[in-house]
Amino acid sequence: MTGRVYKSTGSWYTVKTELGQTYECRIKGKFRLKDIKSTNPIAVGDFVEFELDTKSDQETGVINKIHDRQNYIVRKSVNLSKQTHIIASNIDQVFLLVTIDNPPTFTSFIDRFLVTAEAYDIKAILLFNKIDTYDNDTLDEVRYLAHVYRQIGYECIGISAITGKNIDKVKSLMEGKVSMFTGHSGVGKSTLVNAIEPSLDLKTKEISMQHMQGQHTTTFAEMFDLSFDAKIIDTPGIKGFGVVDMEKEEISDYFPEFFKLKQDCKFNNCLHIEEPKCAVKEALENDEIAASRYRSYVQIIEGDEEHYRTDNWNQE
Ligand SMILES: Nc1nc2c(ncn2[C@@H]2O[C@H](COP(=O)(O)OP(=O)(O)O)[C@@H](O)[C@H]2O)c(=O)[nH]1
Ligand SMILES: [Mg+2]
Ligand SMILES: [Zn+2]
């Protein structure tokens, strides 16, 4: 049978079939992944093949095959083993909640998030929340930022999780897809999810409670079906949106507006910093690239090696 992993607690995986039946499954044998050294062979979001365990009178199963992943997000283990833990896979889109103040979300943070999403190959959407609280100047700032990011190709929506403004737009973007929500603490993630699906709030609170009690310390992500043909992956206890290791040369590939110009740079390995005849720097001078975007890029590139990894942006 084919199913999808909704939850993993240690060696057990909750797998749901297309017909909506759930089975607790274990893994048979070893799963070797070609490209990554991972601490967990199977992650929330994975499509798997499994067989029902005939010896057990309970409805349990054995997973014997994992389908190729469309994408996945990871966190690195804190020790030096260089192992990665796959947080979740097959994610259609991630919404970044942005607030201008209370708390402030800086463009450097937005851009690091977007670089990570590009590297993961996950569609990113920016939600400017709390617009009900903004004065005209702050709304102008929202409009400016939305303009900058729309030019690049990112969808931007001004919302209020409290008044419900544009929540219908968010819901329609979620239809038929697997979504994640991220952003600084206090930007309104829980409030938004609650506005989208009130019953979900209870469920996510339940898993955080379990987590705090230390019963399922390896339970991090969980997928939920919503009432309108949408799925959410919740990642309590995980900061940020995972990490990506990247080479200095590839960072500009994850700035889509830089990537488009790359072929016009004189040097094909141009880092767009000090090289002559650089199309990116020309575009910056002509205001075709936002100064804040270039600043974020330089920040990432000029950092020490740790900065190439995108985990030094903190969520809290
Ligand atoms: N005025 C206003 N307050 C909001 C909005 N969204 C969230 N909040 C408030 O911001 C605070 C933090 O929200 P919360 O959902 O807990 O943020 P989280 O940490 O991202 O989950 C709470 O006091 C919410 O009531 C909004 O759209 N407008
Ligand atoms: Mg919250
Ligand atoms: Zn260049």
Side-chain angles (χ1 to χ4, degrees):
M1 280 192 286
T2 306
R4 192 158 195 191
V5 177
Y6 273 61
K7 189 179 174 179
S8 108
T9 46
S11 49
W12 288 93
Y13 298 88
T14 305
V15 178
K16 198 170 190 173
T17 64
E18 275 218 323
L19 295 174
Q21 286 156 311
T22 55
Y23 299 92
E24 293 302 314
C25 295
R26 281 169 303 169
I27 302 174
K28 192 171 97 185
K30 285 198 172 167
F31 285 85
R32 286 217 166 270
L33 295 167
K34 276 165 273 170
D35 46 345
I36 50 165
K37 232 170 101 182
S38 150
T39 52
N40 58 327
I42 290 177
V44 168
D46 278 343
F47 289 101
V48 295
E49 295 297 326
F50 69 102
E51 283 164 20
L52 285 186
D53 197 345
T54 44
K55 275 172 262 159
S56 101
D57 44 358
Q58 289 175 320
E59 299 276 275
T60 60
V62 178
I63 296 170
N64 50 37
K65 186 175 181 285
I66 168 174
H67 293 214
D68 287 343
R69 295 182 174 118
Q70 171 201 329
N71 56 37
Y72 55 85
I73 64 174
V74 300
R75 86 185 149 75
K76 302 276 166 186
S77 64
V78 278
N79 58 34
L80 293 170
S81 66
K82 290 243 172 93
Q83 289 226 321
T84 53
H85 181 89
I86 305 171
I87 301 168
S89 71
N90 300 316
I91 302 146
D92 292 308
Q93 56 195 4
V94 55
F95 293 93
L96 178 71
L97 272 75
V98 172
T99 49
I100 304 300
D101 44 40
N102 195 20
T105 305
F106 298 117
T107 50
S108 55
F109 176 85
I110 298 173
D111 295 333
R112 273 179 200 276
F113 161 80
L114 291 172
V115 164
T116 312
E118 292 290 341
Y120 281 141
D121 199 16
I122 300 174
K123 184 183 169 188
I125 297 160
L126 302 184
L127 300 178
F128 294 88
N129 192 30
K130 306 198 186 184
I131 55 170
D132 59 297
T133 66
Y134 295 155
D135 59 19
N136 274 330
D137 285 350
T138 314
L139 283 175
D140 275 345
E141 206 171 321
V142 170
R143 284 186 201 106
Y144 172 73
L145 286 175
H147 169 76
V148 164
Y149 289 104
R150 277 185 194 127
Q151 291 271 88
I152 303 163
Y154 297 110
E155 191 150 356
C156 298
I157 309 173
I159 65 164
S160 169
I162 292 280
T163 68
K165 172 91 178 167
N166 285 339
I167 300 304
D168 54 332
K169 283 193 185 162
V170 177
K171 286 176 79 169
S172 74
L173 286 175
M174 291 173 69
E175 249 166 68
K177 298 200 168 108
V178 175
S179 303
M180 284 184 66
F181 293 88
T182 190
H184 285 305
S185 178
V187 291
K189 297 179 294 294
S190 303
T191 311
L192 174 61
V193 166
N194 198 35
I196 289 167
E197 184 102 6
S199 64
L200 193 72
D201 195 41
L202 286 175
K203 285 193 206 158
T204 54
K205 281 214 175 92
E206 249 167 53
I207 55 169
S208 341
M209 282 299 286
Q210 285 180 357
H211 186 239
M212 276 166 63
Q213 288 161 16
Q215 287 173 3
H216 299 290
T217 43
T218 52
T219 305
F220 285 120
E222 180 163 357
M223 190 153 74
F224 295 96
D225 284 319
L226 307 192
S227 58
F228 57 99
D229 183 31
K231 290 177 170 62
I232 279 185
I233 292 180
D234 190 37
T235 57
I238 296 172
K239 270 191 179 183
F241 177 50
V243 298
V244 179
D245 281 314
M246 48 186 99
E247 300 297 321
K248 204 171 191 169
E249 290 73 27
E250 68 182 315
I251 295 168
S252 71
D253 293 354
Y254 304 130
F255 283 75
E257 76 276 41
F258 294 19
F259 181 69
K260 268 189 229 158
L261 295 169
K262 192 179 174 178
Q263 66 206 27
D264 300 330
C265 292
K266 182 174 182 198
F267 298 104
N268 62 12
N269 59 350
C270 187
L271 284 176
H272 323 302
I273 300 284
E274 297 195 302
E275 297 88 344
K277 300 240 164 87
C278 166
V280 169
K281 275 167 61 193
E282 274 167 33
L284 175 70
E285 275 150 35
N286 298 334
D287 286 333
E288 288 153 14
I289 279 178
S292 63
R293 290 280 289 170
Y294 188 74
R295 224 179 298 130
S296 296
Y297 171 70
V298 173
Q299 253 179 38
I300 297 174
I301 231 157
E302 283 189 340
D304 54 40
E305 205 165 322
E306 281 303 298
H307 287 76
Y308 306 147
R309 276 174 55 171
T310 50
D311 61 342
N312 61 343
W313 55 280
N314 285 318
Q315 192 179 23
E316 302 306 320

